Amino acid sequence: MSRPEPPPEPGAEPRAADFIRARIAADVAAGKHGGRVHTRFPPEPNGYLHIGHAKSIVLNFSVADEFAGVCNLRFDDTNPTKEEVEYEEAIQEDVRWLGYDWDARLFFASDYFEKLYELAQGLIRKRLAYVDSLSADEIREHRGTLTEPGRESRYRDRGVEENLDLFERMRAGEFPDGAHVLRARIDMASPNLNMRDPTLYRIRRTRHHRTGADWVIYPMYDYTHPISDALEGITHSLCTLEFEDHRPLYDWVLEHVDLECRPQQIEFARLRLTYTVTSKRKLLHLVREGLVSGWDDPRMPTLRGLKRRGVTPQAIREFCERVGVAKRDSTVDVAQFEFSVREDLNRHAPRAMAVLHPMRVVLTNYPEDRVEQIEAVNNPEDPSQGTRLVPFSRVLYLERDDYRDDPPPKWFRLAPGREVRLRYAYLITCREVVRDERGEIVELRCTYDPDTRGGNAPDGRRVRGTLHWVSAAHAERAEVRLYDRLFLRENPDAADEGQDFLAHLNPQSLEVLRDCRIEPALGIAAVGERFQFERLGYFCVDPARSAEGWPVFNRTVTLRDSWAKIERAVTDRSART
Ligand code: ATP
Ligand code: MG
C-alpha cells in the first residue's frame, strides 16, 4: 500500500509526463492520425459512477484537452440484461458535475449494432469468423488452460454460406439463447486465451433499453469496443490493466474489419482506495440491502455520494491528477483522498460557528438585554470572502467537550476558574458549574472581561484556548450527520477467513446529532453550500431537512486526519503483518 505522498509545493514544476502522455506526445510528434488526439470515456450504464471512474474520466478528458483534442462520452451498452436509462442519465449528470463536457459527442455502442453486424458478416466471408453450435459447457471444455492448448470445435470449418445463413437466422430469432454463437477464427493453440476463437456474438432474447426488440443477438465487449473506437475516430483508447491481455484481440479485430482508423489501446492501473469498495456489483448490493440510504448516501464512494457529502469536483480532479497513472496496480490510502478534499475546502469554504453538543453558558456580568454584533472573518485563507456579523449575548452555547471538571495537563479549554477566549468575542472565566440532581451539567456560570472585545487582553495576559460559540437566543437548530469510513478494514475486498466484504462494514459509520445549534447565517444556507465549522471540520447542507424541519449538515471531513493518528498508534503497538 502506498502512503500519502507529500503534496507538491505550490509553484513546483509540473509533474514529468506520465507514460500515457509520453506515448501520445510521441504519436503526435510522429504525425500519427495527422497529429490528432481523440479519447473517449466508455461507461457501461449498469451502475452509478464512482471515484475509480473519476480517475478514468479525468485522464481521458484532460489528456485530450492537453493535446488540443476532444473526448467522447460513449455508453458501452451491449449487455441488454443489466442496463438502464436511469444510469445513463445519472452518468451524464455526474460527468458534467465533475466539470467535463462532451459537447455533441455522446455515443452509444448500441447505435453501431447494424454496422457491427455487417462487419461480422465481412469476417465470415474472409473465413475469420464462424458460427459454433457447441454448448457453453463444451466451449469451455474446448478452451484448454494456461498450460494446455485448446481444441478446435467440430463446427470450425463450416462453409462461408452456411455460416452467413446461420448468422442471419440467429439475428432473425430462429434459435433459443445459447444454441449458437459467432466466434472469431483465430488460434485455439494461442498462449493467450483471449485469442482462442473468442466469442463475438451470442443470442440473448432480451429487450434492450434502447433498441427494444430489434436485436436478439448482442456483440461482445471485445468485438464492440475496438470497432466503436475506430468508428468514432478515437486515436488513443485508454483502459484499465485487466484489458492488457485483450489488446492482441483489440488489434486483431481492427486489422481484419477494414476500417480506416486504427486506435491505440493503452492500459493503466485501476484506482483502488483503502477502506473502500468500488465494484459496482458490491455497491449495488449495499443499496439493495438497505445498508446505505441509496447511491447518493454520503458514505458511498459514488460521485453522487461524494457530492452530497460536500466533496468538491475540484478536489476529486486534483486527487486524480495527484495520484497519476501507473502501469502496476496499487492501492492508494484514502487519507490521501481526504487530504485533497480538505485542502480544497480549506481554500474555498467560508468559516462559521456551530455547536454540535450544546452546553449552556451564562455570562453573569453581561447585561440581560444587550446584543452585540461581532465581526467575524469568513475565510482567513481568502480575504476576498470578507466578514460577517455574529450576534453575541448573555446566554451562549458552547461545546460540551470544551469543559472538564478535572482537566488533564495542557488543557486550554474551560475548567473551574480557567479563562478562555471566545472566538472573535471576549475572554471569559468559568466561575461556577450548575448541575441537576443526576449530576449532569445544566449550565456554566462565567464572567466576561469587557475590556477584551476582539479577544485580546489590554494587560497582555496570555490565554491559549479559543473556543467557538453561538448565542442561545439567536442560534438556529440543526441536525448534523457525522460520517466515518464505511468499512473497518483497509482492504474490505480481501476474501479471507471465509468472510465477504459485508463482514467489514463499520457499524458506526453514521452518527446523527439532532440537537445542534448553528449561527444564524447558517440557517439560510442553500442546499450544497459548504462551510468549515470552526474547530470541527467541513460540512455541507444536505438536500433533505430533518424531521423537525431543521437544516441538515453532512460532515464532509474532519479538520485534521484524526484517523491517521489512531492508526499509527495501533500500528506502533502491534506491527502489522
Ligand atoms: P466494475 O468492475 O465495477 O463493473 P467497470 O470497469 O466494468 O467497473 P465501466 O462502466 O465499464 O465499469 O467503466 C468505464 C470506464 O471506467 C472503463 O474504461 C474502466 O476501465 C474505467 N474504470 C472503472 N473503474 C475504474 C477504476 N477503479 N480506476 C480507473 N478506471 C476505472
Ligand atoms: Mg466494464
Side-chain angles (χ1 to χ4, degrees):
M1 192 188 76
S2 57
R3 285 283 150 199
E5 279 169 36
E9 293 294 314
E13 290 292 305
R15 245 174 334 104
D18 53 63
F19 70 97
I20 290 182
R21 288 168 167 91
R23 175 79 192 262
I24 296 177
D27 287 347
V28 169
K32 213 173 150 187
H33 305 285
R36 235 170 21 90
V37 173
H38 197 154
T39 57
R40 85 287 169 267
F41 171 64
E44 188 179 345
N46 62 350
Y48 284 75
L49 297 181
H50 54 61
I51 183 77
H53 293 114
K55 174 166 177 175
S56 175
I57 297 168
V58 171
L59 178 66
N60 276 294
F61 278 92
S62 56
V63 155
D65 192 52
E66 287 160 35
F67 289 92
V70 288
C71 178
N72 293 357
L73 176 63
R74 181 201 313 141
F75 287 107
D76 169 24
D77 58 348
T78 53
N79 184 349
T81 55
K82 287 191 196 155
E83 294 155 4
E84 284 176 33
V85 181
E86 172 201 347
Y87 297 132
E88 281 178 5
E89 286 167 359
I91 288 170
Q92 294 181 57
E93 262 182 48
D94 289 352
V95 175
R96 279 211 190 86
W97 175 74
L98 203 52
Y100 299 103
D101 192 2
W102 51 91
D103 300 317
R105 296 179 314 279
L106 172 63
F107 299 98
F108 296 84
S110 57
D111 287 344
Y112 309 136
F113 281 172
E114 192 63 49
K115 185 73 188 172
L116 288 160
Y117 179 79
E118 282 168 27
L119 293 171
Q121 288 176 313
L123 289 176
I124 292 174
R125 286 194 193 95
K126 291 185 183 173
R127 300 188 55 78
L128 290 173
Y130 61 99
V131 173
D132 197 351
S133 311
L134 294 181
S135 69
D137 284 341
E138 285 174 301
I139 289 180
R140 210 169 304 121
E141 282 162 29
H142 278 63
R143 187 171 293 133
T145 64
L146 286 172
T147 49
E148 280 168 58
R151 278 180 298 132
E152 294 183 354
S153 164
R154 57 186 178 276
Y155 302 103
R156 196 173 197 260
D157 293 319
R158 268 177 169 151
V160 169
E161 288 315 313
E162 187 186 356
N163 277 319
L164 286 173
D165 176 60
L166 282 170
F167 190 43
E168 221 174 282
R169 288 164 58 200
M170 280 167 68
R171 175 180 180 171
E174 285 187 28
F175 309 111
D177 286 12
H180 308 282
V181 292
L182 184 76
R183 297 178 73 176
R185 199 163 179 279
I186 308 179
D187 178 7
M188 287 307 292
S190 170
N192 183 340
L193 269 69
N194 296 305
M195 298 299 271
R196 293 185 187 170
D197 292 10
T199 300
L200 305 181
Y201 269 90
R202 56 190 177 168
I203 304 172
R204 275 274 184 287
R205 302 167 65 97
T206 307
R207 280 184 69 85
H208 183 281
H209 70 282
R210 298 193 82 243
T211 59
D214 291 356
W215 293 88
V216 293
I217 55 172
Y218 290 95
M220 303 299 287
Y221 175 88
D222 280 340
Y223 174 67
T224 310
H225 207 78
I227 294 174
S228 307
D229 283 345
L231 291 173
E232 290 172 21
I234 300 303
T235 59
H236 298 85
S237 181
L238 313 179
C239 65
T240 36
L241 276 184
E242 69 271 23
F243 291 104
E244 194 170 13
D245 290 345
H246 297 238
R247 186 170 3 112
L249 178 53
Y250 183 99
D251 290 338
W252 183 93
V253 170
L254 290 178
E255 190 183 330
H256 296 290
V257 294
D258 301 321
L259 290 172
E260 236 166 77
C261 179
R262 291 293 295 274
Q264 175 65 50
Q265 174 178 309
I266 310 176
E267 309 85 18
F268 63 95
R270 288 179 94 82
L271 172 65
R272 283 196 317 237
L273 280 180
T274 57
Y275 301 98
T276 308
V277 303
T278 46
S279 144
K280 280 187 277 193
R281 185 179 56 76
K282 289 178 181 170
L283 296 176
L284 181 62
H285 188 84
L286 293 174
V287 173
R288 292 233 168 112
E289 295 298 309
L291 297 165
V292 294
S293 66
W295 286 102
D296 68 344
D297 185 301
R299 294 166 292 179
M300 291 280 273
T302 52
L303 297 186
R304 308 236 135 170
L306 295 171
K307 172 184 177 190
R308 185 163 166 201
R309 182 148 172 174
V311 172
T312 62
Q314 296 90 301
I316 297 174
R317 295 200 304 262
E318 289 253 347
F319 168 71
C320 292
E321 298 281 7
R322 196 171 268 163
V323 193
V325 287
K327 280 188 196 175
R328 266 191 314 129
D329 275 322
S330 68
T331 303
V332 176
D333 195 325
V334 71
Q336 201 170 336
F337 177 61
E338 288 160 2
F339 176 90
S340 295
V341 173
R342 220 175 261 129
E343 193 188 45
D344 182 63
L345 290 171
N346 181 43
R347 256 181 270 138
H348 303 293
R351 277 48 172 170
M353 290 195 284
V355 174
L356 302 190
H357 300 95
M359 170 181 63
R360 202 176 132 92
V361 172
V362 180
L363 304 180
T364 53
N365 60 338
Y366 194 92
E368 295 256 1
D369 50 1
R370 184 145 142 215
V371 178
E372 283 177 81
Q373 297 295 334
I374 306 269
E375 187 174 37
V377 173
N378 285 334
N379 189 347
E381 302 284 322
D382 177 7
S384 76
Q385 290 188 12
T387 60
R388 70 189 184 285
L389 296 176
V390 186
F392 183 90
S393 66
R394 176 181 159 96
V395 182
L396 308 170
Y397 286 114
L398 269 64
E399 210 65 71
R400 175 66 193 81
D401 290 354
D402 282 337
Y403 171 81
R404 293 273 179 96
D405 284 325
D406 203 2
K410 297 200 177 158
W411 178 260
F412 300 120
R413 310 184 213 171
L414 282 170
R418 295 281 181 96
E419 185 171 46
V420 298
R421 177 180 302 101
L422 295 182
R423 182 81 159 141
Y424 300 117
Y426 293 98
L427 300 180
I428 65 166
T429 303
C430 179
R431 304 293 175 188
E432 191 190 343
V433 186
V434 181
R435 293 178 186 277
D436 63 16
E437 58 283 1
R438 284 171 305 149
E440 300 289 332
I441 295 177
V442 174
E443 64 185 36
L444 299 188
R445 300 182 74 81
C446 302
T447 53
Y448 88 113
D449 179 346
D451 294 332
T452 59
R453 185 166 167 159
N456 290 310
D459 63 6
R461 71 181 181 276
R462 195 150 165 248
V463 173
R464 304 259 308 251
T466 300
L467 308 184
H468 61 278
W469 52 272
V470 293
S471 163
H474 303 90
E476 305 214 13
R477 304 187 71 159
E479 176 174 314
V480 173
R481 299 179 187 163
L482 306 180
Y483 300 100
D484 198 349
R485 292 175 184 168
L486 193 49
F487 293 95
L488 292 167
R489 287 259 309 241
E490 202 168 283
N491 180 4
D493 287 318
D496 55 281
E497 299 147 23
Q499 294 179 316
D500 77 345
F501 74 109
L502 295 176
H504 308 303
L505 270 175
N506 177 2
Q508 265 124 40
S509 58
L510 168 62
E511 186 184 353
V512 180
L513 306 177
R514 297 206 158 80
D515 189 29
C516 308
R517 299 293 198 286
I518 54 181
E519 67 168 84
L522 285 175
I524 53 164
V527 169
E529 261 194 272
R530 306 174 181 92
F531 298 91
Q532 183 193 102
F533 288 178
E534 302 237 7
R535 298 177 65 227
L536 298 174
Y538 296 96
F539 293 78
C540 172
V541 184
D542 194 77
R545 292 230 151 207
S546 76
E548 302 83 355
W550 301 327
V552 172
F553 287 84
N554 295 316
R555 184 173 68 196
T556 314
V557 66
T558 54
L559 280 185
R560 257 168 310 244
D561 185 2
S562 48
W563 188 281
K565 256 187 278 163
I566 295 164
E567 211 186 16
R568 221 175 294 126
V570 172
T571 330
D572 290 349
R573 261 180 276 129
S574 59
R576 267 178 303 180
T577 45

